[in-house]
């Protein structure tokens, strides 16, 4: 199988360009890349990061199924107990 020629500097330059764009300029580019408008709840930062990941994935390939996803539990750590704060009541807010 022939390898594609990848211009890493061009990809880095495009990612920098994406980071510099505002939210209104990112939305149409997202639509071109993903085929639909991004969810309204996504921030500019998250949209830019997702677009950069997609560009790198297309250029260099994505993660294969053998690549493990690590969580704190994968390293033999025991789950920590979660301390829950007492319930908040309106009488505490408005004495």
């Amino acid at each position: 199988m022939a390898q594609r020629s990848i211009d890493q500097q061009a990809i880095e330059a495009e990612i920098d360009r994406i980071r510099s764009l505002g939210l209104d300029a990112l939305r149409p580019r997202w639509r071109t890349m993903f085929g639909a408008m991004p969810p309204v709840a996504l921030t500019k930062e998250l949209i830019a990061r997702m677009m950069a990941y997609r560009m790198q994935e297309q250029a260099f390939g994505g993660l294969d199924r053998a690549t493990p996803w690590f969580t704190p539990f994968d390293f033999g750590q025991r789950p920590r107990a979660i301390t829950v704060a007492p319930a908040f009541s309106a009488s505490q807010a408005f004495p």
Side-chain angles (χ1 to χ4, degrees), residues 15-81:
I15 290 171
D16 287 339
R17 197 172 304 117
I18 285 173
R19 287 182 182 147
S20 70
L21 295 174
L23 187 57
D24 291 334
L26 283 173
R27 289 183 185 278
R29 291 181 70 125
W30 174 284
R31 184 178 186 127
T32 302
M33 189 176 283
F34 292 97
M37 292 302 283
V40 177
L42 294 182
T43 64
K44 173 192 174 291
E45 175 72 18
L46 191 53
I47 290 172
R49 285 176 182 256
M50 292 174 75
M51 290 174 68
Y53 179 82
R54 173 61 66 97
M55 288 175 53
Q56 293 174 69
E57 180 182 42
Q58 289 173 343
F60 305 114
L63 299 174
D64 61 1
R65 296 211 181 263
T67 302
W69 287 89
F70 293 105
T71 66
F73 303 110
D74 290 332
F75 299 107
Q77 297 177 1
R78 295 184 54 174
R80 288 178 278 168

Side-chain angles (χ1 to χ4, degrees), residues 7-15 17 55:
D7 186 357
Q8 187 170 347
Q9 291 178 340
I11 292 169
E12 289 174 5
E14 183 62 21
I15 290 171
R17 197 172 304 117
M55 288 175 53

Side-chain angles (χ1 to χ4, degrees), residues 82-95:
I82 299 172
T83 305
V84 179
F88 179 79
S89 70
S91 63
Q92 292 172 325
F94 306 103

